[in-house]
Amino acid sequence: MKKKLLGLAMLTTIITGGMALLNADEANAHGYVETPAARGYRGSLAKNTIGWTAALEKYGMVITNPQSLEFDKGFPQAGPADGRIASAQGGKGQITDFVLDSTGADRWDKADIKTGTNTFTWHYTAPHSTSKWHYYITKTGWNPEKPLARKDLELIGEIKHDGSSAANNKSHQVNIPADRSGYHVVLAVWDVADTSNAFYNVIDVNVKGDGEITPPVEEAPAKPTNVKATDITTSSLKLTWDTVSNAKEYNVYRDNKKVATVGGNQFNDANLTEDTTYVYQVEAVGSNGKVSEKSSMVKVTTLSSAVEDNQKPTAPTNVHSMGTTETSVDLMWTKSTHFLGVKNYEVYRDGKKIATTEKTSFKDTGLKADTTYKYTVKAISLGGNVSDASAVFSVKTKEAPSGQTTWDADKIYNFGDKVIFNDLEYEARWWTKGERPDQSDVWKLISDAAVTWEASKAYSGGDRVTFQGNTYEAKWWTQGDKPGTAAVWELK
């Protein structure tokens, strides 16, 4: 009965939030595995088939945002803790919702797949710069009645990327081992290149077949053709080529030295010298490991900074939030282009410039709860030309829980005062002003949650943190002692 009441309470929150909440969720969205459908995406679809209440009860809050199952990258060494892999929960100020981690052989709907090569396709709502995708499957003999853990999984595929947009690589060929049959879980991890984050999607599958993998193609792939360079600047360029049908990945050579291996038919080369000629070739690598002939040589000369900068950069696009709390908005956008290069970006909140950054991201903090802010971003070229402003991104910070207040940097707090910061509740240990709750030991975390370990922050006995995918509890006061190596931390 308690579980049902919790589900109805969450549903009421969604409905009373109205369309504004749904729009905020979409703005915070980034991507999910569409086919075969990931568990979270199935939840989003289920609200249209079995209804909101039933879908919420079965899948949890993910039915409103299947795109945002996000945690630290670095799996399996880092990432979500064991038992929290499916929900990707437990850090970054997330609201605790572990429904997706529920267990049971008959708990989840499953997609039929076969042993051998299968295609996994992503849907991106914010196609971030990407370093790689990696895929895992549960081992033979795994127990679906127990929480999913790292020891249950083995790597079955890795698709490397060059840091360009994820939109350049939507579908991946992944081999399901011949000795798998029946119910298994595939974990798909999408690593973002320019943040510390990754997206985690579990896919429930029913593996069919006689344990026979499709015989590999014995021939080497054909050599890549139509290799060309575009978006040439003083220090970078984009190399593209036609897809080779049986290629798993491609090796890129610059001046006869291999500089990258990528999973798609595009490579962004950076940190080049201006006014310099480079020679590129590409070779295809088949699933059997055989390598094609190298493509024809392509000569490319980078631009000179002596060229007059008489053009504006392209306006930044796809401004969105990587995470919104009561007091912060974590902004990100797609990088601009310019024939000489982009020096930095200016961030505007409600028409006023608040930051200049070389990155394509910025975290705006110290905001008010339940308040709508409008952001735009401009790009500045190396020569100082300013782009048009991006489209306006409107986002509303989260509402503080009833009867509670969010932390205010300008307010004085005394012993016993309680505040909400990044969805977590803290209590002041003594007088304080301007000290962030997540960074200063003047604040005691009283929410039943583990936060990401920070070397500069002091912790008291009983405080819980996450570090490299595991949860630890402090036995006594500590500061700077790394979990997993110091005796003060007990693995939970």
Side-chain angles (χ1 to χ4, degrees), residues 290-304:
K290 294 190 176 183
V291 179
S292 74
E293 296 180 40
K294 290 181 181 177
S295 68
S296 300
M297 293 182 180
V298 175
K299 292 185 178 181
V300 188
T301 301
T302 53
L303 299 180
S304 169

Side-chain angles (χ1 to χ4, degrees), residues 17-149:
M19 187 56 67
L21 176 57
L22 295 182
N23 288 341
D25 287 336
E26 189 67 23
N28 293 338
H30 313 285
Y32 54 83
V33 178
E34 187 173 42
T35 41
R39 189 179 294 177
Y41 180 46
R42 282 186 179 274
S44 178
L45 297 174
K47 67 179 184 286
N48 299 319
T49 55
I50 64 176
W52 276 82
T53 303
L56 186 66
E57 185 72 22
K58 182 172 182 177
Y59 293 95
M61 291 292 288
V62 77
I63 67 172
T64 67
N65 57 353
Q67 309 92 329
S68 295
L69 295 171
E70 177 187 11
F71 203 82
D72 298 334
K73 63 185 177 185
F75 193 87
Q77 291 77 20
D82 289 347
R84 297 290 179 254
I85 295 173
S87 65
Q89 287 278 338
K92 297 187 182 300
Q94 295 166 313
I95 297 174
T96 302
D97 180 359
F98 300 142
V99 179
L100 281 186
D101 297 306
S102 301
T103 59
D106 300 319
R107 177 67 172 82
W108 303 107
D109 296 328
K110 307 168 185 65
D112 289 337
I113 64 172
K114 296 181 179 180
T115 54
T117 302
N118 288 262
T119 301
F120 290 79
T121 301
W122 286 78
H123 174 82
Y124 305 115
T125 55
H128 297 294
S129 300
T130 300
S131 55
K132 69 176 181 179
W133 297 263
H134 35 132
Y135 292 82
Y136 305 80
I137 193 171
T138 44
K139 300 174 182 177
T140 56
W142 78 291
N143 187 349
E145 304 296 333
K146 293 184 177 181
L148 186 64

Side-chain angles (χ1 to χ4, degrees), residues 150 204 212 227 276 317 326 328 344 357 395 408 435 472:
R150 284 163 172 72
D204 301 284
E212 296 180 0
V227 180
T276 302
T317 59
E326 296 92 342
S328 67
N344 50 36
T357 176
V395 61
D408 186 338
E435 296 177 286
Y472 297 86

Side-chain angles (χ1 to χ4, degrees), residues 273 279 298:
T273 302
V279 178
V298 175

